[in-house]
Structure formats: structure tokens, C-alpha cells
């Protein structure tokens, strides 16, 4: 990987943002993820250490370090051989406090892998702490699948490093035209209220509701994910009193099962407010717009002259992510009692939808409770005429 015939990977724009945030405040825990697994009692607990060691050895992304120049991220290079797993014999008095302290321990030392892992064999607890700039969401899942397969006695393939592909000149030119055409938006009329309570607004809607939403998507020749994004935009438009909003949608190109790394980016998308009686037309047009984004998935603000890339700091801007399932559902196994991905909730307005096993909606950031209620109202109106037999 690290030779003149195979140049070092280029950092993705979102990786650079995350790394700069963390380097500015090295002990603040910015962009740090933690996977906590409790393994069920059984002979597989004895295989955790060897399975993790093999996973590290056979996963290229777990053997790299971020290169720094003058204290700033500059690329990716080889890391010193990592300590795959630290074994702990005593349990902390407060697991939550221990996990919080671990999150704030620096992860970006030169030449070191930006992760660490520990195992408590008496309780079967495994904790993997890593910098989010190392892995995007689906790569986290890919690595965990391989680890848990090995831990349960199955074979798992090697994982190459998934590399960011900078956009072509043609993609930048196309994005330039799209942005200049689509982002002439009026200002929001109302601010989103600030809420003082902590945590996220969360609602479980169930499998039945998701099936009804699937039926609507089929009827309008769309997808359930598209409906969820569109409905979030309608809720934002209503809350801010404007005819259209801009949301950042997570994009990561086509999925790869043989690689792991960071290839994620967010792209701005306009969601117009649907006129009365024109919901189906609005949905079809929005689906076409999302499909068009595939041609410009690699562009970022740095690729344009100032003023071309849309303003993402306007009132009502948000990030939305639609996931297939929660980690617990994806990793269902007799060897695992529980698995949780711990993420620090930020101040940015963000909506997340998990489709399986039951539809779950979550909103974090300003106005989260009111916006979640609005999101639910729009979805309820969509499915009201589609009962499930």
C-alpha cells in the first residue's frame, strides 16, 4: 500500500474536518466512537482476544495512522504495530464514567493507530474506541461482522482499505451547474427553538408502520428512505415557515463488502414544501433529484469558488441519515448478549431513521422534540390511506 507504485490515500473532506476538530482540542473527545459488546456466557468468550487480533491483522484500515504536517492532518501512513487488545481483570466502579474517560483520551498520536480496544473476560465485556475519521458507518459494520464471525468460529475474508476518490472535473462542473440552479432559496421566517434538556428525541414506530410506508414508496415508484428524507424536509419547512429547506444527506458511493475505511461525504439537497394535493408529484421529483446526486458524490466546498457551494449554516439546515438497522439487529448472534454504538450527541441538528427491525426515528440538536413530532405528522399523513392487511 505505501509505496511509489501505490500512493497513499487522499483524505476525504469530511475526514479533514473531523481531524482538525480533534487536533484543536486533543482531549475533548470530538468525533470519537465506541462499540460496546457484552458477549453471552459460553466457550466463545475465550475466543474474543484471538478473533480480535486476527481481525486487526486482516483489516488494513486498523493498521494505519493519520499523517500530520505542522500539526495538521495531511494524509494516511503506516502505523506502528498496534496492541490489539488490552485485557482487564478488574471492573470499574462506574462503567459509564470509565467509558467517558476513555472517550477523552487522545487518539491521534503520530504513527499510532487511532483506536484502542479492551476486554474484561470475567464479564465478557469488549470496548472498542476509535476516531470516526478512520471509519464510516458501514465500514464499522463490515469490521464488526468479520470480528463476530471469527469469534463464533466462522471464517472471514481480509478487508482492504476503502479509499476516497476525489471528484472528476466533469463531476465538479455538473455540481456547479446544479448548485447555481437549485439553491436560490428564500430565508427562513422562524428560528428553530433551543431546548435545554439533554439527549435526543426518540420514537419507535414499529414494523407495521414501516410496512405501510413501504407500500406508499412502491406506489409512487420510490424508496422508503426517500420518503423518510422528504418527510423530514416537510417538517423542517413547516417549522421554519419557508417554501424549501436545505438538508445534508450522507453519501458514500456504492457499498463494498471487501473493504473498510472512510469514503463518506454529506451533500446538500433542496427539499421543496409540497403544495396541497401535489404530494405524489413532489415525491417523484425529489426521488429524481436524489438519483442525480450520484453523479456528484465526491464534491465538497473546497472544489468550488466562494459562493457556489450552498450555505449550510442557514436556519433549518440539518443532516439526515437513513440506516438499515441498529447495530444490535445487524449483529444478532447467539454469542452476543448486547451490542451498542456509543456516539456523543452534538449540537448540530440531525435526523436519523433506522428501518429494521422496527422503524425508529431519532432527532438531536435544537428543536428536536417539536421537529420529531412534525416528522411523525407528515409520515402519518403519507400512510393514512395505506392500511396493511
Amino acid at each position: 500500500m505505501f509505496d511509489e507504485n501505490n500512493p497513499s490515500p487522499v483524505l476525504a473532506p469530511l475526514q479533514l474536518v473531523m481531524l482538525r476538530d480533534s487536533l484543536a482540542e486533543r482531549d475533548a473527545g470530538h468525533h470519537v466512537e465506541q462499540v460496546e459488546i457484552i458477549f453471552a456466557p459460553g466457550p466463545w468468550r475465550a475466543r474474543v482476544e484471538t478473533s480480535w487480533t486476527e481481525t486487526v491483522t486482516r483489516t488494513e484500515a486498523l493498521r494505519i495512522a493519520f499523517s500530520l504536517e505542522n500539526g495538521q492532518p495531511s494524509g494516511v501512513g503506516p502505523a506502528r504495530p498496534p496492541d490489539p487488545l488490552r485485557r482487564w481483570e478488574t471492573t470499574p466502579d462506574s462503567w459509564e464514567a470509565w467509558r467517558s474517560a476513555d472517550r477523552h483520551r487522545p487518539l491521534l498520536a503520530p504513527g499510532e493507530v487511532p483506536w484502542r480496544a479492551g476486554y474484561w473476560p470475567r464479564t465478557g465485556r469488549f470496548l472498542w474506541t476509535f476516531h470516526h475519521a478512520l471509519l464510516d458507518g458501514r465500514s464499522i459494520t463490515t469490521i464488526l461482522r468479520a470480528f463476530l464471525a471469527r469469534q463464533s468460529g466462522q471464517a472471514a475474508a481480509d478487508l482492504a482499505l476503502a479509499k476516497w476518490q476525489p471528484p472528476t472535473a466533469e463531476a465538479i462542473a455538473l455540481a456547479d451547474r446544479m448548485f447555481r440552479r437549485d439553491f436560490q432559496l428564500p430565508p427562513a421566517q422562524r428560528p428553530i427553538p433551543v431546548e435545554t434538556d439533554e439527549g435526543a428525541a426518540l420514537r419507535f414506530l414499529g414494523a407495521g408502520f414501516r410496512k405501510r410506508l413501504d407500500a406508499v414508496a412502491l406506489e409512487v415508484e420510490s424508496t422508503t428512505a426517500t420518503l423518510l428524507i422528504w418527510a423530514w424536509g416537510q417538517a423542517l419547512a413547516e417549522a421554519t415557515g419557508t417554501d424549501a429547506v436545505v438538508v445534508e444527506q450522507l453519501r458514500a458511493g456504492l457499498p463494498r463488502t471487501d473493504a473498510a475505511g472512510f469514503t463518506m461525504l454529506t451533500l446538500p439537497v433542496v427539499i421543496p414544501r409540497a403544495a396541497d394535493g401535489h404530494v405524489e408529484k413532489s415525491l417523484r421529483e425529489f426521488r429524481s433529484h436524489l438519483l442525480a446526486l450520484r453523479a456528484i458524490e465526491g464534491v465538497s466546498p473546497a472544489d468550488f469558488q466562494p459562493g457556489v457551494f450552498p450555505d449550510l449554516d442557514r436556519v433549518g439546515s440539518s443532516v439526515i441519515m437513513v440506516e438499515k438497522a441498529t447495530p444490535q439487529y445487524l449483529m444478532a448472534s447467539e454469542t452476543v448478549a448486547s451490542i451498542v454504538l456509543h456516539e456523543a450527541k452534538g449540537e448540530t441538528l440531525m435526523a436519523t431513521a433506522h428501518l429494521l427491525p422496527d422503524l425508529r426515528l431519532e432527532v438531536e440538536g435544537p428543536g428536536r422534540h417539536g421537529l420529531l413530532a412534525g416528522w411523525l405528522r407528515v409520515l402519518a399523513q403519507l400512510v393514512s390511506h395505506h392500511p396493511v392487511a
Side-chain angles (χ1 to χ4, degrees):
M1 167 179 158
F2 302 106
D3 59 52
E4 58 185 18
N5 297 319
N6 189 5
S8 297
V10 176
L11 290 175
L14 197 53
Q15 277 181 299
L16 286 168
V17 171
M18 290 179 172
L19 291 169
R20 287 167 180 161
D21 283 352
S22 295
L23 289 167
E25 298 181 78
R26 289 180 179 270
D27 59 352
H30 293 317
H31 310 297
V32 173
E33 309 283 282
Q34 292 174 307
V35 172
E36 180 184 3
I37 303 174
I38 307 296
F39 288 100
W44 35 77
R45 281 189 175 182
R47 294 197 292 264
V48 170
E49 295 175 76
T50 56
S51 299
W52 179 251
T53 299
E54 183 180 357
T55 299
V56 172
T57 300
R58 301 181 64 178
T59 303
E60 195 172 3
L62 297 181
R63 304 194 310 275
I64 63 173
F66 292 113
S67 303
L68 304 177
E69 291 183 7
N70 299 320
Q72 293 298 312
S74 59
V76 169
R80 287 184 280 274
D83 179 9
L85 192 67
R86 181 167 181 179
R87 184 185 179 99
W88 296 88
E89 300 298 340
T90 58
T91 301
D93 293 334
S94 168
W95 178 245
E96 184 176 349
W98 197 99
R99 198 176 61 235
S100 175
D102 187 59
R103 171 185 291 276
H104 290 83
R105 290 168 53 204
L107 272 172
L108 298 176
E112 302 288 344
V113 294
W115 61 265
R116 53 183 165 263
Y119 183 52
W120 287 256
R122 291 182 182 177
T123 58
R125 188 187 300 269
F126 169 87
L127 182 69
W128 176 31
T129 301
F130 57 95
H131 200 283
H132 196 359
L134 179 67
L135 300 167
D136 56 30
R138 65 190 183 191
S139 294
I140 298 169
T141 300
T142 298
I143 291 173
L144 288 175
R145 282 192 188 281
F147 168 45
L148 294 179
R150 294 183 178 107
Q151 188 267 344
S152 62
Q154 304 171 41
D158 292 2
L159 295 174
L161 182 64
K163 300 175 182 178
W164 171 258
Q165 299 297 326
T168 63
E170 291 78 10
I172 294 173
L174 175 59
D176 186 286
R177 293 194 296 272
M178 291 174 64
F179 293 158
R180 292 179 189 274
R181 180 192 68 208
D182 296 336
F183 287 87
Q184 306 302 316
L185 300 178
Q189 301 300 310
R190 295 187 293 273
I192 293 177
V194 176
E195 293 167 337
T196 57
D197 63 311
E198 297 182 356
L202 179 65
R203 183 73 63 86
F204 292 86
L205 298 183
F209 192 97
R210 193 199 70 247
K211 290 178 181 178
R212 294 164 67 186
L213 204 59
D214 293 344
V216 179
L218 184 64
E219 182 173 311
V220 299
E221 300 176 331
S222 188
T223 66
T224 303
T226 299
L227 266 60
L228 287 163
I229 299 169
W230 177 88
W232 171 248
Q234 303 305 303
L236 274 175
E238 179 182 352
T240 56
T242 189
D243 292 332
V245 293
V246 177
V247 303
E248 296 178 69
Q249 189 212 2
L250 289 172
R251 312 289 294 195
L254 295 174
R256 289 185 58 184
T257 59
D258 62 344
F262 194 103
T263 61
M264 184 177 69
L265 187 66
T266 61
L267 274 183
V269 58
V270 173
I271 306 181
R273 195 170 182 177
D276 291 341
H278 294 278
V279 168
E280 185 171 330
K281 179 176 181 290
S282 177
L283 280 168
R284 290 180 187 275
E285 290 176 348
F286 181 62
R287 173 63 174 163
S288 296
H289 190 62
L290 287 183
L291 290 173
L293 293 183
R294 291 179 178 177
I296 62 168
E297 284 198 332
V299 302
S300 68
D303 297 317
F304 301 93
Q305 296 295 322
V308 175
F309 199 86
D311 175 16
L312 301 178
D313 293 326
R314 55 185 286 127
V315 174
S317 292
S318 68
V319 178
I320 184 165
M321 177 170 58
V322 180
E323 299 275 13
K324 183 177 180 181
T326 62
Q328 178 69 61
Y329 182 77
L330 285 170
M331 308 302 169
S333 167
E334 66 173 351
T335 70
V336 174
S338 68
I339 179 169
V340 179
L341 174 63
H342 297 284
E343 299 180 283
K345 302 300 182 184
E347 298 179 355
T348 301
L349 180 58
M350 181 167 180
T352 305
H354 292 275
L355 299 178
L356 297 172
D358 299 315
L359 182 59
R360 186 187 82 178
L361 304 182
E362 184 176 13
V363 181
E364 57 185 276
R368 53 193 171 275
H369 297 290
L371 285 169
L372 177 59
W375 197 8
L376 292 169
R377 282 196 302 272
V378 176
L379 291 171
Q381 291 168 1
L382 275 178
V383 305
S384 59
H385 301 297
H386 295 270
V388 176

